[in-house]
Amino acid sequence: MSDFPTVTRTVVVNNPQGFHMRPAHLFAQKAQQFQSQIFVIKGDLRCDGRSIMELLTLAAPQGTELVIEAQGPDAQQAVEALAPIVENPEPEELAGEEESAE
Amino acid sequence: MRFADFVCREAVIPELQASDKEGVIQEMLQALQQCGAIKAEEMPGIFKAIMKREELGSTGLGRGVAVPHIKHPSVESLVGTVAVSHQGVDFAAMDGDPVFVFILLISPPDRSADHLRALENIIKQMRNDTFLRFLRQAKTKEDILQVLDEADAGQFAT
């Protein structure tokens, strides 16, 4: 895994309700689709992006800056796919689109 | 945010009678209504809203715990209660396992930061096996309250 570059992106929570249970669940589900290791970082707090339990400990209200970090063969794709879940004001809508597409 | 800040102490349930999702929510709302945390006339609306939220995705987070929650304009501050089922309930949890511990939250629409902090505290405690084991072993209201108080005192997770 260490042969792959680490991709990071700083994102801001735009959901008025914050990064609550639904977005965290969507994020963890999406993160599980990638081979890369994925972390979400807030200050000193580093959470496994695949774990909804860890993501919910971020307690990130609207406006919080989070760093998404991915390392692995599909790190770039993972970050591209995951960033909108944090940045979209209504990430639930993203899920709706996806469910109908699948 | 500690359990003592939002749990209605008289409303905790050591032995849920209900054996399905709807029944559990009803029983917990009933207890919240009896302790005065929510009004009787608001119960049907709150129940509907919680069930609608569950349809979007179960709040059964795994590890035998579910955190059904909703924002509702009829409450002025975050209120909640804790219930235990000894037989376990199929709650369509994320890991597919039955749920034994339920923490129900109702928060005012404009207080999402409080809501997130309550959730953060619940999750932190939930990750501690001893906390969950003690809750599942609780036989009386006092047992549950003691576990919650110990959690608030930092006995399980920090």
Side-chain angles (χ1 to χ4, degrees):
Chain A
M1 293 285 267
S2 57
D3 292 343
F4 296 105
T6 300
V7 179
T8 62
R9 184 182 296 182
T10 302
V11 289
V12 175
V13 177
N14 283 318
N15 190 314
Q17 325 250 5
F19 195 59
H20 61 105
M21 197 182 286
R22 288 267 300 145
H25 187 201
L26 293 174
F27 191 102
Q29 276 183 327
K30 179 63 85 178
Q32 285 164 17
Q33 295 170 9
F34 294 94
Q35 292 176 52
S36 297
Q37 280 190 292
I38 294 159
F39 294 96
V40 181
I41 302 152
K42 184 182 95 171
D44 310 338
L45 189 59
R46 196 177 164 84
C47 298
D48 181 350
R50 295 162 193 262
S51 160
I52 179 165
M53 302 266 250
E54 291 209 11
L55 291 173
L56 285 173
T57 63
L58 290 166
Q62 185 177 25
T64 307
E65 234 175 51
L66 301 175
V67 176
I68 302 174
E69 183 188 292
Q71 195 193 27
D74 49 10
Q76 187 64 44
Q77 295 95 305
V79 170
E80 299 288 339
L82 294 166
I85 299 177
V86 179
E87 295 193 305
N88 195 297
E90 294 179 45
E92 291 85 347
E93 288 183 0
L94 298 176
E97 283 164 26
E98 190 159 295
E99 273 157 24
S100 55
E102 273 169 4
Chain B
M1 182 173 284
R2 302 168 309 152
F3 286 111
D5 295 325
F6 60 89
V7 169
C8 183
R9 294 180 78 86
E10 299 80 46
V12 300
I13 304 172
E15 175 67 89
L16 279 164
Q17 300 303 311
S19 54
D20 61 11
K21 186 181 265 199
E22 295 195 359
V24 168
I25 305 291
Q26 288 284 20
E27 211 174 322
M28 292 180 84
L29 290 180
Q30 195 79 44
L32 276 173
Q33 187 259 315
Q34 279 163 6
C35 83
I38 57 174
K39 297 188 190 84
E41 63 266 30
E42 302 287 357
M43 271 180 58
I46 294 174
F47 174 75
K48 243 190 213 165
I50 291 180
M51 292 311 293
K52 208 171 152 196
R53 165 63 186 83
E54 289 294 326
E55 277 171 26
L56 296 173
S58 175
T59 58
L61 291 168
R63 297 179 64 86
V65 182
V67 189
H69 59 271
I70 195 70
K71 294 197 165 61
H72 201 269
S74 67
V75 294
E76 279 170 22
S77 62
L78 181 61
V79 295
T81 185
V82 176
V84 177
S85 166
H86 292 283
Q87 58 192 6
V89 176
D90 177 8
F91 214 74
M94 292 173 194
D95 61 0
D97 289 342
V99 173
F100 297 88
V101 174
F102 299 85
I103 305 175
L104 185 143
L105 299 174
I106 306 168
S107 47
D110 55 346
R111 300 274 278 278
S112 37
D114 282 356
H115 178 83
L116 287 172
R117 278 201 300 273
L119 211 48
E120 175 204 19
N121 175 48
I122 292 166
I123 305 291
K124 276 191 179 154
Q125 302 296 345
M126 269 171 62
R127 292 162 72 184
N128 184 288
D129 291 332
T130 313
F131 172 74
L132 288 184
R133 196 175 65 244
F134 282 1
L135 269 186
R136 283 180 59 168
Q137 287 169 351
K139 297 268 186 290
T140 64
K141 281 189 181 190
E142 289 67 34
D143 290 347
I144 293 182
L145 293 171
Q146 191 184 342
V147 178
L148 298 181
D149 289 343
E150 286 171 3
D152 281 347
Q155 203 146 318
F156 305 111
T158 44

